[in-house]
Amino acid sequence: MKHFLEENKRKLPKWSTQEIFVKTVQDWKTISPIEKGKWTSEYEREKTLYDIRYTDYMKKISPKQLESIRNLKKKRSEDKIKRQLRREKKKEVEELGKPKYPGNAFILYVSTLDRGEAASKDFVSGAARQWHLLPEERQNVFREKAKKKLEEYQRELAEWEAKMLKAGRVDLVRSSQLGPELKQDLQSRKHQH
């Protein structure tokens, strides 16, 4: 499947990783059993070679290096869990209707531009150059809009946080908005986990 994946990446450079993966799975399903057998045998041969090299490598490393590898794996696993928890919390607050930060003046300016076919990095760097060339009074229009949107966001966020406090969801409220007792309660909860 690796071969098909790489071929699809080359043929379809504008497709997302997910689209390419779906196409690759479809391609794999359509090939003959003989062709699948050929690729499966190739995989098994490469896997056997990998296993031999891995075993040789593991024999050459010291106990200290092995411990270091284990610690790194453990840290990566813990980091993955933290990222997953952050994603889940982000999804939850979105579902609970938390207002979204409106962005600054530059973000508002960028939202008025047409990206076209430009790559994200090229588009943003080009937009930054254009922003710096804009006359001050034109930039100020976007700054004023951003200021008004920020004030509206802060008002909506305060209302949302009050609603969360009433619902007993102290964990979703910024600590700066909590009273001393709630801050202390939240800290003790964090230390328990």
PDB file of all heavy atoms in Angstrom, residues 60-90:
ATOM      1  N   LYS A  60      23.355  -3.453  20.345  1.00  0.00           N
ATOM      2  CA  LYS A  60      24.487  -2.528  20.392  1.00  0.00           C
ATOM      3  C   LYS A  60      24.308  -1.380  21.378  1.00  0.00           C
ATOM      4  O   LYS A  60      25.274  -0.720  21.728  1.00  0.00           O
ATOM      5  CB  LYS A  60      24.750  -1.939  19.005  1.00  0.00           C
ATOM      6  CG  LYS A  60      25.225  -2.962  17.999  1.00  0.00           C
ATOM      7  CD  LYS A  60      25.366  -2.345  16.631  1.00  0.00           C
ATOM      8  CE  LYS A  60      25.722  -3.401  15.590  1.00  0.00           C
ATOM      9  NZ  LYS A  60      25.714  -2.842  14.236  1.00  0.00           N
ATOM     10  N   ILE A  61      23.087  -1.129  21.832  1.00  0.00           N
ATOM     11  CA  ILE A  61      22.896   0.034  22.709  1.00  0.00           C
ATOM     12  C   ILE A  61      23.105  -0.341  24.169  1.00  0.00           C
ATOM     13  O   ILE A  61      22.864  -1.478  24.574  1.00  0.00           O
ATOM     14  CB  ILE A  61      21.519   0.713  22.493  1.00  0.00           C
ATOM     15  CG1 ILE A  61      20.370  -0.220  22.866  1.00  0.00           C
ATOM     16  CG2 ILE A  61      21.372   1.205  21.075  1.00  0.00           C
ATOM     17  CD1 ILE A  61      19.021   0.466  22.828  1.00  0.00           C
ATOM     18  N   SER A  62      23.531   0.648  24.916  1.00  0.00           N
ATOM     19  CA  SER A  62      23.820   0.427  26.342  1.00  0.00           C
ATOM     20  C   SER A  62      22.525   0.456  27.154  1.00  0.00           C
ATOM     21  O   SER A  62      21.497   0.976  26.703  1.00  0.00           O
ATOM     22  CB  SER A  62      24.753   1.536  26.834  1.00  0.00           C
ATOM     23  OG  SER A  62      24.060   2.767  26.879  1.00  0.00           O
ATOM     24  N   PRO A  63      22.557  -0.050  28.373  1.00  0.00           N
ATOM     25  CA  PRO A  63      21.374   0.015  29.240  1.00  0.00           C
ATOM     26  C   PRO A  63      20.919   1.469  29.473  1.00  0.00           C
ATOM     27  O   PRO A  63      19.723   1.734  29.548  1.00  0.00           O
ATOM     28  CB  PRO A  63      21.842  -0.638  30.544  1.00  0.00           C
ATOM     29  CG  PRO A  63      22.949  -1.548  30.131  1.00  0.00           C
ATOM     30  CD  PRO A  63      23.627  -0.860  28.980  1.00  0.00           C
ATOM     31  N   LYS A  64      21.898   2.370  29.560  1.00  0.00           N
ATOM     32  CA  LYS A  64      21.556   3.780  29.767  1.00  0.00           C
ATOM     33  C   LYS A  64      20.795   4.324  28.549  1.00  0.00           C
ATOM     34  O   LYS A  64      19.808   5.052  28.691  1.00  0.00           O
ATOM     35  CB  LYS A  64      22.836   4.586  29.997  1.00  0.00           C
ATOM     36  CG  LYS A  64      22.592   6.024  30.376  1.00  0.00           C
ATOM     37  CD  LYS A  64      23.894   6.734  30.714  1.00  0.00           C
ATOM     38  CE  LYS A  64      23.600   8.182  31.066  1.00  0.00           C
ATOM     39  NZ  LYS A  64      24.826   8.896  31.401  1.00  0.00           N
ATOM     40  N   GLN A  65      21.254   3.970  27.349  1.00  0.00           N
ATOM     41  CA  GLN A  65      20.570   4.408  26.132  1.00  0.00           C
ATOM     42  C   GLN A  65      19.176   3.790  26.047  1.00  0.00           C
ATOM     43  O   GLN A  65      18.220   4.464  25.662  1.00  0.00           O
ATOM     44  CB  GLN A  65      21.389   4.018  24.889  1.00  0.00           C
ATOM     45  CG  GLN A  65      22.660   4.813  24.730  1.00  0.00           C
ATOM     46  CD  GLN A  65      23.545   4.248  23.627  1.00  0.00           C
ATOM     47  OE1 GLN A  65      23.694   3.030  23.494  1.00  0.00           O
ATOM     48  NE2 GLN A  65      24.136   5.142  22.847  1.00  0.00           N
ATOM     49  N   LEU A  66      19.058   2.551  26.428  1.00  0.00           N
ATOM     50  CA  LEU A  66      17.762   1.870  26.420  1.00  0.00           C
ATOM     51  C   LEU A  66      16.791   2.559  27.385  1.00  0.00           C
ATOM     52  O   LEU A  66      15.628   2.784  27.045  1.00  0.00           O
ATOM     53  CB  LEU A  66      17.939   0.395  26.788  1.00  0.00           C
ATOM     54  CG  LEU A  66      16.704  -0.487  26.676  1.00  0.00           C
ATOM     55  CD1 LEU A  66      16.147  -0.465  25.274  1.00  0.00           C
ATOM     56  CD2 LEU A  66      17.032  -1.913  27.095  1.00  0.00           C
ATOM     57  N   GLU A  67      17.291   2.910  28.551  1.00  0.00           N
ATOM     58  CA  GLU A  67      16.472   3.626  29.530  1.00  0.00           C
ATOM     59  C   GLU A  67      16.036   4.980  28.968  1.00  0.00           C
ATOM     60  O   GLU A  67      14.896   5.400  29.131  1.00  0.00           O
ATOM     61  CB  GLU A  67      17.248   3.804  30.840  1.00  0.00           C
ATOM     62  CG  GLU A  67      16.456   4.484  31.941  1.00  0.00           C
ATOM     63  CD  GLU A  67      15.261   3.677  32.419  1.00  0.00           C
ATOM     64  OE1 GLU A  67      15.280   2.437  32.283  1.00  0.00           O
ATOM     65  OE2 GLU A  67      14.305   4.296  32.912  1.00  0.00           O
ATOM     66  N   SER A  68      16.955   5.642  28.296  1.00  0.00           N
ATOM     67  CA  SER A  68      16.650   6.931  27.677  1.00  0.00           C
ATOM     68  C   SER A  68      15.553   6.795  26.617  1.00  0.00           C
ATOM     69  O   SER A  68      14.633   7.607  26.532  1.00  0.00           O
ATOM     70  CB  SER A  68      17.919   7.514  27.059  1.00  0.00           C
ATOM     71  OG  SER A  68      17.656   8.741  26.452  1.00  0.00           O
ATOM     72  N   ILE A  69      15.637   5.738  25.822  1.00  0.00           N
ATOM     73  CA  ILE A  69      14.615   5.468  24.800  1.00  0.00           C
ATOM     74  C   ILE A  69      13.265   5.215  25.458  1.00  0.00           C
ATOM     75  O   ILE A  69      12.238   5.752  25.031  1.00  0.00           O
ATOM     76  CB  ILE A  69      15.035   4.272  23.919  1.00  0.00           C
ATOM     77  CG1 ILE A  69      16.204   4.667  23.034  1.00  0.00           C
ATOM     78  CG2 ILE A  69      13.863   3.782  23.070  1.00  0.00           C
ATOM     79  CD1 ILE A  69      16.857   3.489  22.307  1.00  0.00           C
ATOM     80  N   ARG A  70      13.260   4.423  26.519  1.00  0.00           N
ATOM     81  CA  ARG A  70      12.006   4.137  27.232  1.00  0.00           C
ATOM     82  C   ARG A  70      11.392   5.411  27.809  1.00  0.00           C
ATOM     83  O   ARG A  70      10.179   5.621  27.742  1.00  0.00           O
ATOM     84  CB  ARG A  70      12.254   3.117  28.344  1.00  0.00           C
ATOM     85  CG  ARG A  70      12.452   1.730  27.821  1.00  0.00           C
ATOM     86  CD  ARG A  70      12.530   0.719  28.951  1.00  0.00           C
ATOM     87  NE  ARG A  70      12.766  -0.611  28.420  1.00  0.00           N
ATOM     88  CZ  ARG A  70      13.711  -1.426  28.845  1.00  0.00           C
ATOM     89  NH1 ARG A  70      14.505  -1.065  29.845  1.00  0.00           N
ATOM     90  NH2 ARG A  70      13.864  -2.618  28.303  1.00  0.00           N
ATOM     91  N   ASN A  71      12.259   6.251  28.391  1.00  0.00           N
ATOM     92  CA  ASN A  71      11.764   7.516  28.950  1.00  0.00           C
ATOM     93  C   ASN A  71      11.187   8.416  27.868  1.00  0.00           C
ATOM     94  O   ASN A  71      10.155   9.070  28.066  1.00  0.00           O
ATOM     95  CB  ASN A  71      12.877   8.245  29.707  1.00  0.00           C
ATOM     96  CG  ASN A  71      13.239   7.558  31.000  1.00  0.00           C
ATOM     97  OD1 ASN A  71      12.447   6.797  31.561  1.00  0.00           O
ATOM     98  ND2 ASN A  71      14.449   7.801  31.489  1.00  0.00           N
ATOM     99  N   LEU A  72      11.851   8.450  26.727  1.00  0.00           N
ATOM    100  CA  LEU A  72      11.361   9.264  25.609  1.00  0.00           C
ATOM    101  C   LEU A  72      10.005   8.760  25.125  1.00  0.00           C
ATOM    102  O   LEU A  72       9.083   9.542  24.893  1.00  0.00           O
ATOM    103  CB  LEU A  72      12.378   9.266  24.463  1.00  0.00           C
ATOM    104  CG  LEU A  72      12.015  10.092  23.244  1.00  0.00           C
ATOM    105  CD1 LEU A  72      11.877  11.574  23.619  1.00  0.00           C
ATOM    106  CD2 LEU A  72      13.074   9.935  22.159  1.00  0.00           C
ATOM    107  N   LYS A  73       9.875   7.438  24.999  1.00  0.00           N
ATOM    108  CA  LYS A  73       8.602   6.849  24.582  1.00  0.00           C
ATOM    109  C   LYS A  73       7.497   7.174  25.581  1.00  0.00           C
ATOM    110  O   LYS A  73       6.368   7.485  25.212  1.00  0.00           O
ATOM    111  CB  LYS A  73       8.724   5.340  24.408  1.00  0.00           C
ATOM    112  CG  LYS A  73       9.432   4.927  23.149  1.00  0.00           C
ATOM    113  CD  LYS A  73       9.464   3.408  23.023  1.00  0.00           C
ATOM    114  CE  LYS A  73      10.123   2.977  21.737  1.00  0.00           C
ATOM    115  NZ  LYS A  73      10.139   1.511  21.595  1.00  0.00           N
ATOM    116  N   LYS A  74       7.845   7.084  26.865  1.00  0.00           N
ATOM    117  CA  LYS A  74       6.863   7.380  27.916  1.00  0.00           C
ATOM    118  C   LYS A  74       6.422   8.840  27.839  1.00  0.00           C
ATOM    119  O   LYS A  74       5.228   9.138  27.910  1.00  0.00           O
ATOM    120  CB  LYS A  74       7.471   7.092  29.294  1.00  0.00           C
ATOM    121  CG  LYS A  74       6.527   7.315  30.441  1.00  0.00           C
ATOM    122  CD  LYS A  74       7.180   7.002  31.771  1.00  0.00           C
ATOM    123  CE  LYS A  74       6.222   7.313  32.909  1.00  0.00           C
ATOM    124  NZ  LYS A  74       6.858   7.160  34.214  1.00  0.00           N
ATOM    125  N   LYS A  75       7.394   9.745  27.651  1.00  0.00           N
ATOM    126  CA  LYS A  75       7.073  11.170  27.546  1.00  0.00           C
ATOM    127  C   LYS A  75       6.201  11.440  26.322  1.00  0.00           C
ATOM    128  O   LYS A  75       5.230  12.192  26.390  1.00  0.00           O
ATOM    129  CB  LYS A  75       8.336  12.014  27.480  1.00  0.00           C
ATOM    130  CG  LYS A  75       8.041  13.509  27.432  1.00  0.00           C
ATOM    131  CD  LYS A  75       9.290  14.345  27.432  1.00  0.00           C
ATOM    132  CE  LYS A  75       9.072  15.827  27.352  1.00  0.00           C
ATOM    133  NZ  LYS A  75       7.762  16.343  27.060  1.00  0.00           N
ATOM    134  N   ARG A  76       6.539  10.821  25.197  1.00  0.00           N
ATOM    135  CA  ARG A  76       5.729  10.997  23.981  1.00  0.00           C
ATOM    136  C   ARG A  76       4.310  10.501  24.198  1.00  0.00           C
ATOM    137  O   ARG A  76       3.345  11.117  23.748  1.00  0.00           O
ATOM    138  CB  ARG A  76       6.362  10.259  22.800  1.00  0.00           C
ATOM    139  CG  ARG A  76       7.557  10.975  22.237  1.00  0.00           C
ATOM    140  CD  ARG A  76       8.106  10.241  21.044  1.00  0.00           C
ATOM    141  NE  ARG A  76       9.236  10.960  20.472  1.00  0.00           N
ATOM    142  CZ  ARG A  76      10.028  10.455  19.558  1.00  0.00           C
ATOM    143  NH1 ARG A  76       9.834   9.236  19.101  1.00  0.00           N
ATOM    144  NH2 ARG A  76      11.030  11.166  19.084  1.00  0.00           N
ATOM    145  N   SER A  77       4.178   9.387  24.885  1.00  0.00           N
ATOM    146  CA  SER A  77       2.857   8.838  25.173  1.00  0.00           C
ATOM    147  C   SER A  77       2.058   9.793  26.065  1.00  0.00           C
ATOM    148  O   SER A  77       0.877  10.054  25.821  1.00  0.00           O
ATOM    149  CB  SER A  77       3.004   7.483  25.846  1.00  0.00           C
ATOM    150  OG  SER A  77       1.756   6.967  26.200  1.00  0.00           O
ATOM    151  N   GLU A  78       2.724  10.325  27.093  1.00  0.00           N
ATOM    152  CA  GLU A  78       2.062  11.276  27.989  1.00  0.00           C
ATOM    153  C   GLU A  78       1.670  12.545  27.234  1.00  0.00           C
ATOM    154  O   GLU A  78       0.570  13.076  27.431  1.00  0.00           O
ATOM    155  CB  GLU A  78       2.981  11.624  29.166  1.00  0.00           C
ATOM    156  CG  GLU A  78       3.173  10.477  30.131  1.00  0.00           C
ATOM    157  CD  GLU A  78       4.300  10.714  31.134  1.00  0.00           C
ATOM    158  OE1 GLU A  78       5.038  11.718  31.004  1.00  0.00           O
ATOM    159  OE2 GLU A  78       4.457   9.868  32.041  1.00  0.00           O
ATOM    160  N   ASP A  79       2.567  13.023  26.369  1.00  0.00           N
ATOM    161  CA  ASP A  79       2.275  14.219  25.575  1.00  0.00           C
ATOM    162  C   ASP A  79       1.092  13.982  24.643  1.00  0.00           C
ATOM    163  O   ASP A  79       0.254  14.859  24.444  1.00  0.00           O
ATOM    164  CB  ASP A  79       3.501  14.658  24.765  1.00  0.00           C
ATOM    165  CG  ASP A  79       4.607  15.226  25.635  1.00  0.00           C
ATOM    166  OD1 ASP A  79       4.362  15.495  26.827  1.00  0.00           O
ATOM    167  OD2 ASP A  79       5.741  15.406  25.114  1.00  0.00           O
ATOM    168  N   LYS A  80       1.023  12.777  24.083  1.00  0.00           N
ATOM    169  CA  LYS A  80      -0.086  12.436  23.190  1.00  0.00           C
ATOM    170  C   LYS A  80      -1.408  12.472  23.961  1.00  0.00           C
ATOM    171  O   LYS A  80      -2.413  12.987  23.460  1.00  0.00           O
ATOM    172  CB  LYS A  80       0.152  11.047  22.589  1.00  0.00           C
ATOM    173  CG  LYS A  80      -0.892  10.637  21.583  1.00  0.00           C
ATOM    174  CD  LYS A  80      -0.562   9.287  20.983  1.00  0.00           C
ATOM    175  CE  LYS A  80      -1.600   8.881  19.962  1.00  0.00           C
ATOM    176  NZ  LYS A  80      -1.307   7.574  19.365  1.00  0.00           N
ATOM    177  N   ILE A  81      -1.395  11.939  25.171  1.00  0.00           N
ATOM    178  CA  ILE A  81      -2.600  11.953  26.004  1.00  0.00           C
ATOM    179  C   ILE A  81      -3.008  13.387  26.326  1.00  0.00           C
ATOM    180  O   ILE A  81      -4.188  13.743  26.254  1.00  0.00           O
ATOM    181  CB  ILE A  81      -2.394  11.120  27.291  1.00  0.00           C
ATOM    182  CG1 ILE A  81      -2.285   9.637  26.925  1.00  0.00           C
ATOM    183  CG2 ILE A  81      -3.502  11.362  28.297  1.00  0.00           C
ATOM    184  CD1 ILE A  81      -1.786   8.746  28.053  1.00  0.00           C
ATOM    185  N   LYS A  82      -2.023  14.237  26.656  1.00  0.00           N
ATOM    186  CA  LYS A  82      -2.317  15.642  26.948  1.00  0.00           C
ATOM    187  C   LYS A  82      -2.926  16.334  25.739  1.00  0.00           C
ATOM    188  O   LYS A  82      -3.889  17.107  25.870  1.00  0.00           O
ATOM    189  CB  LYS A  82      -1.045  16.383  27.383  1.00  0.00           C
ATOM    190  CG  LYS A  82      -0.576  16.044  28.777  1.00  0.00           C
ATOM    191  CD  LYS A  82       0.715  16.773  29.109  1.00  0.00           C
ATOM    192  CE  LYS A  82       1.291  16.337  30.432  1.00  0.00           C
ATOM    193  NZ  LYS A  82       2.587  16.954  30.710  1.00  0.00           N
ATOM    194  N   ARG A  83      -2.359  16.078  24.551  1.00  0.00           N
ATOM    195  CA  ARG A  83      -2.899  16.688  23.327  1.00  0.00           C
ATOM    196  C   ARG A  83      -4.333  16.230  23.089  1.00  0.00           C
ATOM    197  O   ARG A  83      -5.204  17.025  22.727  1.00  0.00           O
ATOM    198  CB  ARG A  83      -2.037  16.339  22.109  1.00  0.00           C
ATOM    199  CG  ARG A  83      -0.753  17.126  22.019  1.00  0.00           C
ATOM    200  CD  ARG A  83      -0.070  16.962  20.672  1.00  0.00           C
ATOM    201  NE  ARG A  83       0.192  15.589  20.285  1.00  0.00           N
ATOM    202  CZ  ARG A  83       1.252  14.891  20.655  1.00  0.00           C
ATOM    203  NH1 ARG A  83       2.183  15.440  21.421  1.00  0.00           N
ATOM    204  NH2 ARG A  83       1.407  13.642  20.243  1.00  0.00           N
ATOM    205  N   GLN A  84      -4.583  14.948  23.319  1.00  0.00           N
ATOM    206  CA  GLN A  84      -5.928  14.402  23.138  1.00  0.00           C
ATOM    207  C   GLN A  84      -6.912  15.060  24.111  1.00  0.00           C
ATOM    208  O   GLN A  84      -8.018  15.438  23.720  1.00  0.00           O
ATOM    209  CB  GLN A  84      -5.917  12.879  23.341  1.00  0.00           C
ATOM    210  CG  GLN A  84      -7.269  12.220  23.171  1.00  0.00           C
ATOM    211  CD  GLN A  84      -7.826  12.333  21.779  1.00  0.00           C
ATOM    212  OE1 GLN A  84      -7.087  12.376  20.808  1.00  0.00           O
ATOM    213  NE2 GLN A  84      -9.131  12.395  21.664  1.00  0.00           N
ATOM    214  N   LEU A  85      -6.486  15.230  25.359  1.00  0.00           N
ATOM    215  CA  LEU A  85      -7.350  15.883  26.344  1.00  0.00           C
ATOM    216  C   LEU A  85      -7.642  17.330  25.955  1.00  0.00           C
ATOM    217  O   LEU A  85      -8.770  17.803  26.099  1.00  0.00           O
ATOM    218  CB  LEU A  85      -6.717  15.822  27.739  1.00  0.00           C
ATOM    219  CG  LEU A  85      -6.669  14.431  28.381  1.00  0.00           C
ATOM    220  CD1 LEU A  85      -5.866  14.468  29.674  1.00  0.00           C
ATOM    221  CD2 LEU A  85      -8.082  13.915  28.637  1.00  0.00           C
ATOM    222  N   ARG A  86      -6.602  18.030  25.439  1.00  0.00           N
ATOM    223  CA  ARG A  86      -6.812  19.416  24.990  1.00  0.00           C
ATOM    224  C   ARG A  86      -7.798  19.470  23.825  1.00  0.00           C
ATOM    225  O   ARG A  86      -8.676  20.330  23.790  1.00  0.00           O
ATOM    226  CB  ARG A  86      -5.492  20.060  24.592  1.00  0.00           C
ATOM    227  CG  ARG A  86      -4.683  20.591  25.752  1.00  0.00           C
ATOM    228  CD  ARG A  86      -3.582  21.540  25.306  1.00  0.00           C
ATOM    229  NE  ARG A  86      -2.636  20.950  24.383  1.00  0.00           N
ATOM    230  CZ  ARG A  86      -1.507  20.334  24.726  1.00  0.00           C
ATOM    231  NH1 ARG A  86      -1.183  20.229  26.003  1.00  0.00           N
ATOM    232  NH2 ARG A  86      -0.707  19.827  23.811  1.00  0.00           N
ATOM    233  N   ARG A  87      -7.657  18.528  22.884  1.00  0.00           N
ATOM    234  CA  ARG A  87      -8.588  18.486  21.742  1.00  0.00           C
ATOM    235  C   ARG A  87     -10.011  18.232  22.218  1.00  0.00           C
ATOM    236  O   ARG A  87     -10.962  18.863  21.749  1.00  0.00           O
ATOM    237  CB  ARG A  87      -8.173  17.404  20.746  1.00  0.00           C
ATOM    238  CG  ARG A  87      -7.081  17.826  19.809  1.00  0.00           C
ATOM    239  CD  ARG A  87      -6.924  16.845  18.652  1.00  0.00           C
ATOM    240  NE  ARG A  87      -6.508  15.520  19.049  1.00  0.00           N
ATOM    241  CZ  ARG A  87      -5.249  15.133  19.182  1.00  0.00           C
ATOM    242  NH1 ARG A  87      -4.268  15.973  18.935  1.00  0.00           N
ATOM    243  NH2 ARG A  87      -4.961  13.897  19.558  1.00  0.00           N
ATOM    244  N   GLU A  88     -10.156  17.279  23.159  1.00  0.00           N
ATOM    245  CA  GLU A  88     -11.486  16.966  23.683  1.00  0.00           C
ATOM    246  C   GLU A  88     -12.095  18.158  24.401  1.00  0.00           C
ATOM    247  O   GLU A  88     -13.284  18.448  24.247  1.00  0.00           O
ATOM    248  CB  GLU A  88     -11.414  15.752  24.611  1.00  0.00           C
ATOM    249  CG  GLU A  88     -11.160  14.457  23.872  1.00  0.00           C
ATOM    250  CD  GLU A  88     -10.858  13.292  24.794  1.00  0.00           C
ATOM    251  OE1 GLU A  88     -10.922  13.453  26.043  1.00  0.00           O
ATOM    252  OE2 GLU A  88     -10.545  12.201  24.268  1.00  0.00           O
ATOM    253  N   LYS A  89     -11.261  18.870  25.185  1.00  0.00           N
ATOM    254  CA  LYS A  89     -11.761  20.036  25.910  1.00  0.00           C
ATOM    255  C   LYS A  89     -12.141  21.147  24.932  1.00  0.00           C
ATOM    256  O   LYS A  89     -13.176  21.794  25.087  1.00  0.00           O
ATOM    257  CB  LYS A  89     -10.716  20.539  26.904  1.00  0.00           C
ATOM    258  CG  LYS A  89     -11.257  21.608  27.841  1.00  0.00           C
ATOM    259  CD  LYS A  89     -10.275  21.918  28.950  1.00  0.00           C
ATOM    260  CE  LYS A  89     -10.867  22.903  29.921  1.00  0.00           C
ATOM    261  NZ  LYS A  89      -9.977  23.136  31.059  1.00  0.00           N
ATOM    262  N   LYS A  90     -11.326  21.337  23.898  1.00  0.00           N
ATOM    263  CA  LYS A  90     -11.625  22.352  22.893  1.00  0.00           C
ATOM    264  C   LYS A  90     -12.954  22.040  22.206  1.00  0.00           C
ATOM    265  O   LYS A  90     -13.793  22.926  22.012  1.00  0.00           O
ATOM    266  CB  LYS A  90     -10.496  22.426  21.860  1.00  0.00           C
ATOM    267  CG  LYS A  90     -10.706  23.489  20.810  1.00  0.00           C
ATOM    268  CD  LYS A  90      -9.555  23.549  19.841  1.00  0.00           C
ATOM    269  CE  LYS A  90      -9.807  24.648  18.807  1.00  0.00           C
ATOM    270  NZ  LYS A  90      -8.773  24.673  17.783  1.00  0.00           N
TER     271      LYS A  90
END
